[in-house]
Amino acid sequence: MREFLSSAMLAVLTAASVAAPPTTEARPVSETLHGVELTDPYQWLEGDNTDPERMGTLTPEVDAWTTKQNNYTRSVLDGLQPARAELEDRLRELMEVGSVGSPAMAGSRYFFSKREGTQAQSVIYVQDGTGSGAPAPRVLIDPNTLDESGLLTVSWFRPSHDGSLLAFGTYEAGDENSTLHLLDVDSGEWLSDVIPGKVGLGGWLPDGEHFVYRRLSDLDDPYSGEIRIHRVGRHWRHDPVLFDQAGEAQAYAQQSGYNEDDVRQLAATYGPFAYPSRDGRWLVGGYYTGTRSNDLWAADLDRYLRTGELVRVPILSDTYRSGASGTGTILGDTMYMRTTQDAPKGRVVAVDLHNASRSAWREVVPEQSDAVIEGASMARGRLAVTMMRNAANEIRQFALDGTDLGQLDLPGIGSAGLSTAQDRTEAFLTFSSYNEPRSIYRVDLATGERAVWQRSDVPVDPSLVEVKQVWYDSADGTRVSMFVIHRKGLELDGTNPTILYGYGGFNISMTPWFSSTMFPWYENGGVYAVANLRGGGEYGEAWHQGGMLENKQNVFDDFIGAAEWLIANGYTSSANLGISGGSNGGLLTGAVITQRHDLFAAAVSAVPLLDMVRYHQFLMGRYWIPEYGSAENPDQFGYIKAYSPYHNVKPGTPYPATLITAGENDARVHPMHARKMAALMQASTGGDVDEDPILLWVDRDAGHGAGKPLHLRVRDRADQLIFFMWQLGMLNDEEG
């Protein structure tokens, strides 16, 4: 008998009956693309498309349909009683454990976020000094007292250099449209400065009176980014625009001879960014030319503030063609830049801003043959360089002349991040692994001394969990790594309930992380596996490019190969194997269940992209054309249609039980993907809908996932885990 469930629970669950899903009217719409006729039976579920600038506006009809689907899903998932209630209680216990963010250092002050107990949202604190003699931290911003619903989130914060002012952003219900506010740290008063428009802070100038920020000039247009500079007390409408998205795209076109399609795509990337050097002497500016490429330049900020002239010093250019990226920290007149220019796995170079030509760059940390250089941050007199080797982090220190100062001692093999400041060797190290709870250490980079600053007291025993890294061959023979996690001593009998997770895109790496909410799964004999698929960044830019555009099928093949390896090596079987992924990972799970429905018993596709023929027409979809391509392009249409999950659902196919989730306020991935896919799969599946239902959950109080209050996160985690427990055999013990 597994630990989590009583035999009485099992009997109830085995006998559970599931109602049929609500029917959805098909209203076929046909179009011809590049000579191929496509018929979409559920395009009406996209919403109102009459305004091309606001595709997919929610209509009352679609809203009513969504309510029926949500009610059906709740009846199924909430009906898995009493096991669900016990699971939710356990998850609440695990998730009510407090969490703390790594501190931002400013003068003698330390600013950090912290959530305790049942608080819906994290609270922002400040502490004057650290150590035994320091005063207790005090609350600066408590969103839980500002909004009873728990839907108001502090999305980011940044203190001025001396810690006297705090800029911070808030948004509601997961829409991620941050509004900037200012707070006087001494008095706790909110200043009158308020800047709307999905604002992000580039950085403060040392005078504490100015900062650089990015916002959207039109909140309904995700491609309207602009960079402004603010003076405290001035209304934001009077803040000068340093440069904007439309102007940058046009300038690139004139400089480089791009065609109209290129200009259109350049205007639809994430766009401009900027931040000042710590001493305020330079402004670093850039423009994202793709999902992982950017041009970069610097300008004399002193000169701009005196004369209004923004004279640029080019550092990286024409990256739309090269795909290179770079960002750096300035000390004096030298930028220390981490870049993929001429180094697909990254390197660090020193750039003299008075002679920034590539031939004059000085290499500080060369490209590594067996590791990826992810980033470099500056502390006093040194660079801390974060590397990734075999999908786990290392941190090495280097003098500014490139002398290797040695590796920073880490608690183990896992994910590590370092928060530094240019004026000190004090730093804060964040570390976690699958069997190591997230901990924050205060570190002296000069001496190597390390002490725990904050660690959550999670009510589980991480030592009970075993972690392995394995390698397997994908369909084309490429070697792929995977982490496999389960309870120590687990008997591998070929029937262990197993969740396989993946992402595979945008150069994002899947490194080890701790999740207390997975422990009910491990305790009941479950296996969790995370595959390091192509498209990610675990092994450099070549690994990323191996899973994008025309190579996207490699990602799905890698994931299928991981599933086959788990079955062949006695971990599980198709009847006990589930898959999970979100966003781009939701596309992954959608693609593989349409390609290999026989290989899996259950799938969770969270906030997914699923209609890849039309994705670019909604919200910020055009941002991702450099990653996926566009069906508007005849050369890309063929491979996109070949894997687009929505276009590969086949009537009569016994699809595995599938839970598709979305957020009604999602500013990234439109919920139309989830709606249409659920309707089509419900109408098409040849499976038994009682045993293998197709479920849709659209959260009306959420977006892409960020900013959810505690009670909604508990509900969502319970939804996914009870779904997998039910479908993968964890609730079908013989004693039941």
Side-chain angles (χ1 to χ4, degrees):
M1 180 71 178
R2 293 181 172 115
E3 297 174 13
F4 177 70
L5 299 166
S6 69
S7 57
M9 291 179 187
L10 296 169
V12 171
L13 283 156
T14 301
S17 61
V18 179
T23 57
T24 304
E25 180 185 356
R27 303 175 189 173
V29 175
S30 295
E31 65 174 331
T32 300
L33 275 179
H34 314 300
V36 177
E37 185 177 24
L38 300 175
T39 300
D40 186 344
Y42 300 110
Q43 194 171 113
W44 68 274
L45 290 175
E46 294 175 355
D48 184 356
N49 292 336
T50 55
D51 182 355
E53 301 299 319
R54 300 190 65 184
M55 293 282 285
T57 302
L58 184 65
T59 64
E61 183 180 38
V62 173
D63 190 45
W65 177 89
T66 300
T67 297
K68 292 179 182 178
Q69 290 286 338
N70 278 357
N71 290 343
Y72 165 59
T73 296
R74 292 264 57 91
S75 72
V76 174
L77 298 179
D78 293 344
L80 297 173
Q81 301 294 351
R84 183 199 167 92
E86 184 173 333
L87 174 63
E88 197 162 294
D89 287 344
R90 180 74 197 288
L91 291 174
R92 186 174 295 107
E93 174 193 20
L94 293 170
M95 297 174 76
E96 284 181 354
V97 172
S99 61
V100 182
S102 184
M105 299 171 281
S108 62
R109 288 173 164 168
Y110 300 80
F111 298 80
F112 58 93
S113 63
K114 184 176 184 179
R115 187 189 60 76
E116 295 183 288
T118 60
Q119 287 180 321
Q121 298 285 351
S122 293
V123 177
I124 309 303
Y125 290 82
V126 63
Q127 184 170 15
D128 290 283
T130 60
S132 57
R138 58 187 173 91
V139 173
L140 286 179
I141 311 158
D142 185 354
N144 303 291
T145 64
L146 301 174
D147 174 35
E148 293 182 358
S149 72
L151 298 177
L152 181 70
T153 302
V154 178
S155 49
W156 57 264
F157 60 90
R158 184 84 67 86
S160 60
H161 290 196
D162 64 0
S164 63
L165 294 176
L166 186 74
F168 63 97
T170 62
Y171 62 74
E172 295 186 65
D175 67 8
E176 298 185 277
N177 293 323
S178 294
T179 297
L180 181 147
H181 304 273
L182 284 182
L183 179 144
D184 183 288
V185 176
D186 287 326
S187 67
E189 291 185 20
W190 292 36
L191 305 187
S192 60
D193 304 64
V194 177
I195 306 176
K198 198 167 188 174
V199 182
L201 196 76
W204 285 88
L205 272 64
D207 63 7
E209 289 291 318
H210 294 84
F211 57 76
V212 176
Y213 66 98
R214 182 190 192 274
R215 70 180 298 273
L216 296 180
S217 63
D218 179 356
L219 199 55
D220 293 327
D221 181 0
Y223 316 114
S224 62
E226 60 182 15
I227 304 297
R228 294 185 180 228
I229 187 166
H230 181 69
R231 187 181 70 236
V232 175
R234 180 173 63 196
H235 194 283
W236 70 268
R237 291 188 184 278
H238 300 297
D239 291 340
V241 176
L242 303 181
F243 57 105
D244 63 19
Q245 196 147 346
E248 292 296 289
Q250 192 59 42
Y252 285 128
Q254 294 172 353
Q255 294 166 10
S256 305
Y258 294 144
N259 61 37
E260 288 186 9
D261 288 340
D262 291 335
V263 174
R264 187 180 304 112
Q265 180 51 42
L266 273 167
T269 68
Y270 184 73
F273 63 90
Y275 54 93
S277 61
R278 181 176 175 81
D279 63 6
R281 168 78 169 78
W282 295 94
L283 178 74
V284 180
Y287 191 89
Y288 287 101
T289 56
T291 54
R292 288 287 166 175
S293 61
N294 65 273
D295 281 23
L296 194 71
W297 47 264
D300 186 330
L301 191 52
D302 282 343
R303 178 176 176 176
Y304 170 78
L305 292 173
R306 290 194 315 270
T307 68
E309 294 180 290
L310 193 68
V311 180
R312 305 183 186 193
V313 177
I315 300 171
L316 282 176
S317 57
D318 203 17
T319 59
Y320 182 69
R321 291 191 176 99
S322 70
S325 64
T327 187
T329 301
I330 294 176
L331 182 65
D333 293 334
T334 301
M335 173 185 283
Y336 293 87
M337 177 176 64
R338 182 268 179 191
T339 182
T340 57
Q341 182 68 59
D342 304 320
K345 292 186 177 181
R347 61 176 175 150
V348 180
V349 297
V351 181
D352 180 350
L353 297 179
H354 297 291
N355 181 16
S357 63
R358 195 180 307 173
S359 61
W361 292 359
R362 172 172 59 85
E363 191 164 77
V364 180
V365 184
E367 183 179 25
Q368 309 290 296
S369 62
D370 59 348
V372 177
I373 294 177
E374 292 189 298
S377 61
M378 183 173 289
R380 186 166 61 193
R382 63 193 60 222
L383 292 170
V385 178
T386 302
M387 301 183 183
M388 183 163 46
R389 193 183 314 274
N390 291 334
N393 287 133
E394 299 174 357
I395 298 175
R396 295 194 74 85
Q397 296 191 74
F398 295 85
L400 301 184
D401 64 0
T403 301
D404 191 336
L405 301 178
Q407 188 164 309
L408 187 66
D409 185 35
L410 298 182
I413 298 174
S415 301
L418 195 66
S419 175
T420 65
Q422 286 189 30
D423 62 348
R424 63 193 80 189
T425 59
E426 177 188 28
F428 287 88
L429 169 70
T430 303
F431 181 84
S432 69
S433 191
Y434 293 115
N435 56 359
E436 176 79 17
R438 184 175 182 269
S439 302
I440 301 174
Y441 299 86
R442 188 181 180 199
V443 179
D444 188 319
L445 298 177
T447 66
E449 293 180 11
R450 185 183 78 209
V452 173
W453 183 71
Q454 291 282 351
R455 175 183 288 149
S456 299
D457 186 17
V458 183
V460 297
D461 183 357
S463 68
L464 298 178
V465 172
E466 178 180 351
V467 183
K468 302 175 185 175
Q469 187 176 45
V470 301
W471 294 80
Y472 62 91
D473 290 335
S474 189
D476 63 356
T478 298
R479 296 284 285 169
V480 181
S481 63
M482 174 168 60
F483 293 103
V484 183
I485 310 100
H486 55 75
R487 188 180 64 202
K488 287 180 180 176
L490 180 69
E491 180 185 354
L492 303 182
D493 60 5
T495 64
N496 301 106
T498 299
I499 300 172
L500 172 61
Y501 179 85
Y503 188 80
F506 296 93
N507 204 33
I508 293 173
S509 303
M510 295 292 103
T511 56
W513 74 93
F514 185 80
S515 173
S516 63
T517 61
M518 285 303 299
F519 275 75
W521 184 256
Y522 301 141
E523 291 161 358
N524 286 278
V527 177
Y528 185 54
V530 179
N532 301 121
L533 313 172
R534 278 176 284 186
E538 292 88 345
Y539 300 101
E541 183 57 29
W543 193 254
H544 170 216
Q545 292 181 12
M548 60 185 284
L549 296 172
E550 71 273 12
N551 298 320
K552 190 65 180 177
Q553 182 60 41
N554 288 336
V555 182
F556 313 136
D557 290 343
D558 290 355
F559 201 56
I560 290 168
E564 292 174 336
W565 187 94
L566 289 165
I567 293 170
N569 285 272
Y571 283 88
T572 192
S573 68
S574 292
N576 304 103
L577 178 58
I579 53 174
S580 178
S583 196
N584 173 74
L587 164 62
L588 168 69
T589 56
V592 297
I593 61 173
T594 57
Q595 295 182 17
R596 287 296 306 274
H597 65 88
D598 59 305
L599 197 54
F600 313 103
V604 170
S605 179
V607 290
L609 288 152
L610 294 166
D611 182 345
M612 297 306 292
V613 171
R614 290 174 62 79
Y615 83 93
H616 59 284
Q617 299 182 43
F618 296 84
L619 300 176
M620 58 176 61
R622 287 193 176 273
Y623 282 174
W624 310 318
I625 288 176
E627 186 80 11
Y628 299 125
S630 166
E632 294 175 354
N633 184 321
D635 296 328
Q636 297 172 338
F637 168 73
Y639 68 72
I640 289 173
K641 180 179 177 296
Y643 73 74
S644 175
Y646 184 66
H647 295 88
N648 284 280
V649 174
K650 295 180 174 56
T653 302
Y655 288 109
T658 302
L659 171 61
I660 307 172
T661 71
E664 196 66 74
N665 303 319
D666 199 328
R668 306 187 201 185
V669 178
H670 200 285
M672 72 90 173
H673 292 273
R675 295 184 201 129
K676 290 169 59 175
M677 188 72 169
L680 185 57
M681 288 187 69
Q682 287 171 352
S684 301
T685 186
D688 185 329
V689 296
D690 287 345
E691 295 184 359
D692 300 311
I694 309 299
L695 305 175
L696 172 68
W697 174 251
V698 181
D699 194 337
R700 264 65 178 267
D701 295 321
H704 203 60
K708 282 192 179 184
L710 177 64
H711 71 282
L712 294 185
R713 290 189 288 115
V714 171
R715 180 205 62 198
D716 291 352
R717 195 71 184 118
D719 282 351
Q720 295 190 17
L721 273 184
I722 200 67
F723 175 75
F724 278 129
M725 287 176 167
W726 171 37
Q727 288 295 323
L728 303 184
M730 195 173 278
L731 308 183
N732 293 324
D733 194 286
E734 290 180 359
E735 294 186 33

